[in-house]
Amino acid sequence: MPLLLAATLLVVGCERPAAEAVAEAKPVEILQSAGKTMGTRYEVKIANPPAELPADWQLLIDRELRRVNDQMSTYIATSEISRFNSSDSSDWFDVSAETANVVAAALEISGKTDGAFDVTVGPLVNLWSFGPEQHEKSVPDQAALDAAAAVTGYQSLHVRTDPPAIRKDKPGLQVDLSSIAKGHGVDRIVDLLQGLGCKNVFVNIGGEIRAIGDKGKDRPWRAGVERPDEATTVLLFPVAIEDDAIATSGDYRNFFEIDGKRYSHTIDPRTGRPIEHTLAAVSVVADNCMLADGWATALNVLGPVEGPRIAAAESIDAYLLERADGQFRPHPVGRFVQWSKPPVTQQD
């Protein structure tokens, strides 16, 4: 999991008013729930839950996550996106407002990155053995890459929000929202719990995290930026998540090797091939998890030079880690300049 919870300490002064001391002594109640969704695991924490919280709040979370999958999963044949993908029509295809909003956000990121982020890249992802179509890991030939690339391109995908619908210019165009849907799912659960009266919430789906309020007694929820190493789990530094979201994208968990060459699951839509630059991981903090998720992927594709430049131009708080001379060289942008620490060697 790209992000880890980090412990926090509460420092109590020597002299406090009696009423404040009583409040401080009152234990913090934290409700927790966990399960599986979107091919990964989720966890939810609610600090000091409201008295009116429904007894079936966990079932409501699972129901909302199923709705996200029923709308956007490419692994469910009857989902909105799967049905759109199987259609060759260029007419408007009715979808839920949620799906339309996610596609709209994805296309905005695509435009700002000149296609480095592209949710139509699914045929290439499948061709490189990282999609829902299971087959042996292999390097496709150029003819197959050209054929897949011919049915991709975010410019051929269109969206409207009223009434919500999407359409394609190319009959074979497909949409894969996996690079942004987990973040959207996090936002959906936060919104659900806020609607139930919860004011202090922490939601994590596969390392994509959003929190509101705090964990009690004015202690912030925290996440940690992890060293991008598939063999170990090492926390580089903690980040306080205060009404923010954080997401991480990297090449160190999902890849394969053939003849000593490493092939990342992150495909550059502009080349049709896995990224080959030295950037190892990107963490992004944003107001919502959907944008954090999408931008983390986009910056990861852009690499160690273009990534920081675009992040700065778009006022994105990002932490990019590059492999360089036995170290992970950081490229912090925005708030990460203050949060981050010196580089950590891969041998540490």
Side-chain angles (χ1 to χ4, degrees):
M1 184 178 294
L3 300 173
L4 302 175
L5 293 180
T8 59
L9 296 177
L10 177 68
V11 179
V12 181
C14 296
E15 297 181 5
R16 298 257 181 124
E20 185 177 347
V22 171
E24 195 68 61
K26 183 180 179 180
V28 176
E29 180 183 3
I30 296 184
L31 299 180
Q32 300 188 57
S33 182
K36 295 182 179 180
T37 188
M38 305 181 196
T40 186
R41 293 191 61 81
Y42 77 85
E43 64 172 331
V44 174
K45 297 183 180 183
I46 306 171
N48 292 324
E52 65 273 15
L53 185 67
D56 64 346
W57 64 274
Q58 292 170 302
L59 294 177
L60 296 177
I61 288 174
D62 287 332
R63 182 186 303 169
E64 190 67 14
L65 290 173
R66 284 196 299 271
R67 286 191 65 234
V68 176
N69 276 317
D70 288 341
Q71 291 166 344
M72 305 178 200
S73 174
T74 56
Y75 290 84
I76 298 175
T78 57
S79 73
E80 292 177 0
I81 286 299
S82 290
R83 289 187 289 109
F84 174 78
N85 288 345
S86 64
S87 171
D88 289 335
S89 173
S90 60
D91 295 334
W92 284 106
F93 185 94
D94 292 339
V95 295
S96 61
E98 293 89 348
T99 296
N101 288 335
V102 172
V103 172
L107 290 179
E108 184 175 357
I109 297 174
S110 296
K112 290 180 176 180
T113 59
D114 291 327
F117 182 82
D118 190 341
V119 294
T120 74
V121 77
L124 288 164
V125 174
N126 289 333
L127 196 60
W128 284 97
S129 311
F130 292 112
E133 299 177 8
Q134 299 296 319
H135 51 83
E136 184 179 354
K137 305 295 185 185
S138 61
V139 178
D141 59 34
Q142 190 59 49
L145 288 172
D146 291 342
V151 291
T152 67
Y154 73 94
Q155 301 93 334
S156 296
L157 176 64
H158 309 277
V159 62
R160 72 183 185 199
T161 56
D162 187 19
I166 55 179
R167 70 175 180 87
K168 62 181 79 174
D169 292 336
K170 301 175 182 179
L173 190 81
Q174 298 184 13
V175 173
D176 183 347
L177 298 174
S178 59
S179 57
I180 196 170
K182 285 202 303 293
H184 169 75
V186 170
D187 293 332
R188 292 267 285 270
I189 300 307
V190 170
D191 292 344
L192 168 69
L193 294 173
Q194 281 186 303
L196 297 176
C198 300
K199 300 183 182 301
N200 304 288
V201 172
F202 178 97
V203 179
N204 177 359
I205 299 181
E208 322 299 17
I209 293 172
R210 182 177 168 189
I212 59 171
D214 58 44
K215 61 190 301 183
K217 300 180 180 178
D218 295 324
R219 298 175 301 171
W221 299 107
R222 290 184 183 271
V225 174
E226 182 183 288
R227 186 172 69 180
D229 188 337
E230 66 271 13
T232 62
T233 298
V234 177
L235 186 69
L236 293 179
F237 58 89
V239 176
I241 306 299
E242 301 173 288
D243 298 327
D244 281 324
I246 185 168
T248 294
S249 176
D251 71 347
Y252 57 102
R253 295 296 189 206
N254 191 3
F255 63 91
F256 65 86
E257 292 185 357
I258 295 180
D259 296 330
K261 185 171 181 178
R262 177 191 184 108
Y263 296 91
S264 167
H265 77 289
T266 302
I267 306 299
D268 187 335
R270 301 165 300 179
T271 65
R273 296 177 176 275
I275 56 175
E276 295 186 353
H277 52 64
T278 53
L279 196 59
V282 179
S283 293
V284 169
V285 167
D287 292 339
N288 65 67
C289 204
M290 177 182 67
L291 291 180
D293 194 5
W295 272 110
T297 300
L299 297 178
N300 190 38
V301 171
L302 286 167
V305 177
E306 284 298 290
R309 184 184 69 80
I310 295 294
E314 295 296 330
S315 299
I316 295 169
D317 298 310
Y319 188 74
L320 303 91
L321 275 173
E322 178 187 9
R323 293 185 181 91
D325 301 323
Q327 292 186 327
F328 288 112
R329 178 183 299 160
H331 299 276
V333 181
R335 285 180 285 176
F336 276 99
V337 173
Q338 287 76 38
W339 290 338
S340 58
K341 293 182 178 181
V344 178
T345 64
Q346 296 183 32
Q347 291 78 24
D348 280 354

